[in-house]
Amino acid sequence: MQFQNTLAFAKEMDEKDPLKKYREQFFIPNFQDQPIRYFTGNSLGLQPKSTGEYIQRELNDWAKWGVEGHFHAERPWFSYHEFLTNKAAKIVGALPKEVVITHSLTTNLHLLMVSFFQPKGKRTKILCEAKAFPSDQYALESQIKFHGLSMEHDLVEISPREGKHIIEEDDIIQKIKEVGDELAMVMIGGVNYYTGQLFDMERITKAAHEVGAIAGFDLAHAAGNIDLKLHDWNVDFAAWCTYKYLNSSPGGVAGIFVHEKHAKNKDLPRFAGWWGHDKETRFQMTKGFQPIEGAEGWQLSNAPVLGMAAHLASLDIFEEVGMENLCEKRDQLTAYLEYIIDDISEKHQEKCSFEIITPRDQKRRGAQISMLVHGAEARKLFDFLTEKGVIADWREPNVIRLAPVPMYNSFEDVFFFGKYLEEGIGQ
Ligand SMILES: *Cc1c(COP(=O)(O)O)cnc(C)c1O
């Protein structure tokens, strides 16, 4: 497609956009009576206008029924999480029994690693990407220490090559082979939060399995952004939050995926709670934990219904849109942002330039562009954008991250980002 850096072109693209009506279904915050240009949907997704109704319904049932709402609410709370399962499973490409919505992301990572990180003999190592999201780094560190192992010996981090920002997949595969029978688990972010790099999870999983290791992924930046096929890729486990691309409220409920092949394995160690216990006998309150087969067996507690209601509101929109359609718009919108940045960078290269560190290949990224600002006072430029109502993400020393979210961002948003960026350079 031949893009143009003009408002008329952006408007025309929006007019032709088959998903344009979905923008209307979200609250876009205002800035000086104009909609803000929101590019941080990878940090906190915007609120669907329907979320309030979904939550209010549960508040009404709570007022009406008290404890009886567990069974008599319109959507009984006792099994509330089940209303979300099929829809969430479609988003990550899983069978329903492989998915459960529960707890928060870091909690889920820990629960899954308790089961799937089982160091034995010389097979004690975890392989992850360098500069993983801090919470994941702490989770891995504490898991390693929990087993009495050492960070120096048992954590293998893969870095980008000298002077590069993205990690070569070949290097990951090579390292997996090299560590070989000392490798217990690979745990990588499916999409890197910093560069926006999408990893080939199928290839990494296959390589991990070939050396007898487990493959798990953190999908915080992938769920609702990438067309995932966790079941087909044979991934062992995964976890994700729902407040980023999945627009399901700040700190909202999170997801767990456990591949079907582990569903019946009752010998996996786990930290258990009553909600993971066999549903038939849960209320007999007897001794002896009997896990539910599949992902539900990793639940600890009864469902936080208000957070789940927010997630359900959003899942219903994803169900209607479909990941395939979303990904089609995602690629166009992200490519337009890439084009705008390159265009401005070229025009103003005497003053400053922008170096995109996100992969240029659409197959290796989702709805994110991260760029380095060279030659200008990067922070001043970022602050100028903020003053103009562009909400982006800043990382020291000179990185701006932008997420053009296909669900509600427009081509016009991208155009205005570029317009203000140019104005900022001229300051
Ligand atoms: C956002 C994010 C988290 C946040 O974890 P919470 O438990 O939801 O606070 C963790 N890991 C990654 C990779 C993230 O992107």
Side-chain angles (χ1 to χ4, degrees):
M1 157 128 8
Q2 200 53 48
F3 291 132
Q4 293 167 26
N5 188 357
T6 65
L7 181 57
F9 177 81
K11 283 189 169 200
E12 190 190 318
M13 289 298 286
D14 284 330
E15 205 41 56
K16 286 193 296 206
D17 170 15
L19 305 187
K20 68 179 169 199
K21 71 170 187 183
Y22 291 99
R23 182 177 172 88
E24 304 296 312
Q25 295 185 21
F26 286 80
F27 289 111
I28 314 279
N30 261 342
F31 174 81
Q32 296 174 348
D33 294 333
Q34 295 286 327
I36 58 169
R37 309 296 169 183
Y38 195 77
F39 291 103
T40 45
N42 57 348
S43 184
L44 180 66
L46 291 178
Q47 183 187 148
K49 289 180 180 165
S50 57
T51 303
E53 276 164 47
Y54 280 68
I55 293 177
Q56 191 60 49
R57 181 175 356 198
E58 302 316 320
L59 291 175
N60 293 349
D61 274 345
W62 182 18
K64 181 173 166 192
W65 293 104
V67 73
E68 304 276 14
H70 280 301
F71 298 100
H72 296 308
E74 199 180 315
R75 293 196 176 100
W77 307 326
F78 168 72
S79 49
Y80 196 91
H81 64 277
E82 292 173 16
F83 295 109
L84 290 74
T85 303
N86 287 4
K87 294 167 188 180
K90 271 194 219 165
I91 288 177
V92 296
L95 305 176
K97 78 180 310 187
E98 293 174 323
V99 166
V100 69
I101 298 301
T102 187
H103 320 130
S104 64
L105 169 55
T106 308
T107 311
N108 288 344
L109 284 175
H110 275 301
L111 293 173
L112 290 164
M113 285 196 276
V114 159
S115 298
F116 292 104
F117 176 49
Q118 283 301 310
K120 273 193 197 76
K122 67 174 185 174
R123 196 182 282 284
T124 57
K125 293 186 175 166
I126 299 177
L127 184 143
C128 72
E129 77 274 40
K131 290 201 198 151
F133 193 89
S135 198
D136 300 41
Q137 290 187 37
Y138 306 147
L140 292 174
E141 178 184 343
S142 54
Q143 287 285 334
I144 283 171
K145 291 183 175 164
F146 178 70
H147 287 283
L149 302 167
S150 81
M151 291 289 280
E152 295 69 36
H153 183 265
D154 297 302
L155 188 69
V156 180
E157 291 181 300
I158 313 274
S159 303
R161 292 182 189 173
E162 189 70 28
K164 295 281 195 288
H165 297 280
I166 58 177
I167 298 173
E168 286 304 324
E169 249 150 33
D170 289 348
D171 293 354
I172 299 177
I173 304 297
Q174 183 56 35
K175 192 54 119 179
I176 290 173
K177 286 188 183 146
E178 219 176 281
V179 183
D181 59 5
E182 294 182 8
L183 188 62
M185 178 179 79
V186 175
M187 227 295 285
I188 290 183
V191 172
N192 182 268
Y193 80 99
Y194 180 73
T195 60
Q197 177 179 8
L198 164 65
F199 291 104
D200 185 338
M201 290 175 247
E202 184 174 23
R203 186 173 171 216
I204 292 170
T205 301
K206 190 159 171 276
H209 289 169
E210 275 168 12
V211 300
I214 286 278
F217 295 93
D218 181 329
L219 303 176
H221 283 263
N225 177 28
I226 305 296
D227 203 4
L228 300 163
K229 299 272 177 274
L230 297 183
H231 176 84
D232 293 348
W233 297 342
N234 213 9
V235 166
D236 292 288
F237 73 88
W240 59 95
C241 55
T242 66
Y243 50 79
K244 292 175 179 167
Y245 291 97
L246 289 170
N247 314 318
S248 299
S249 81
V253 286
I256 278 179
F257 166 88
V258 176
H259 198 278
E260 188 187 26
K261 66 190 172 190
H262 302 298
K264 289 192 187 355
N265 186 353
K266 298 202 163 125
D267 297 331
L268 283 171
R270 28 185 137 193
F271 287 166
W274 73 324
W275 230 250
H277 186 88
D278 176 29
K279 289 178 203 181
E280 301 300 315
T281 59
R282 184 187 289 151
F283 288 97
Q284 292 171 11
M285 311 285 192
T286 48
K287 283 208 163 121
F289 176 68
Q290 291 298 331
I292 304 172
E293 277 182 17
E296 287 191 350
W298 272 266
Q299 297 173 108
L300 299 181
S301 305
N302 72 101
V305 167
L306 300 185
M308 295 239 175
H311 190 30
L312 186 57
S314 175
L315 284 174
D316 280 343
I317 302 173
F318 273 84
E319 178 95 346
E320 197 181 292
V321 175
M323 281 310 293
E324 241 172 74
N325 294 328
L326 205 63
C327 291
E328 204 169 301
K329 177 174 172 190
R330 174 201 67 197
D331 286 344
Q332 275 204 341
L333 197 61
T334 310
Y336 188 51
L337 176 59
E338 181 181 31
Y339 161 82
I340 293 279
I341 292 169
D342 285 342
D343 183 54
I344 295 170
S345 191
E346 205 183 295
K347 273 194 230 155
H348 298 273
Q349 53 186 291
E350 261 117 73
K351 266 189 136 167
C352 77
S353 67
F354 305 109
E355 180 191 350
I356 292 179
I357 58 172
T358 305
R360 293 281 182 172
D361 178 358
Q362 290 188 355
K363 292 193 193 69
R364 298 178 70 196
R365 70 182 187 207
Q368 180 178 326
I369 298 282
S370 302
M371 63 178 197
L372 299 176
V373 181
H374 295 301
E377 272 191 63
R379 181 71 215 200
K380 249 174 94 181
L381 192 56
F382 180 81
D383 290 341
F384 180 84
L385 289 170
T386 310
E387 279 164 33
K388 291 289 179 186
V390 174
I391 306 298
D393 179 84
W394 169 260
R395 298 280 145 158
E396 292 294 341
N398 62 338
V399 178
I400 297 178
R401 295 189 311 157
L402 300 146
V405 175
M407 190 67 97
Y408 47 72
N409 276 122
S410 61
F411 288 83
E412 200 180 306
D413 284 339
V414 172
F415 169 79
F416 276 104
F417 159 75
K419 180 172 180 291
Y420 297 136
L421 188 67
E422 263 193 297
E423 280 181 33
I425 295 169
Q427 287 287 301

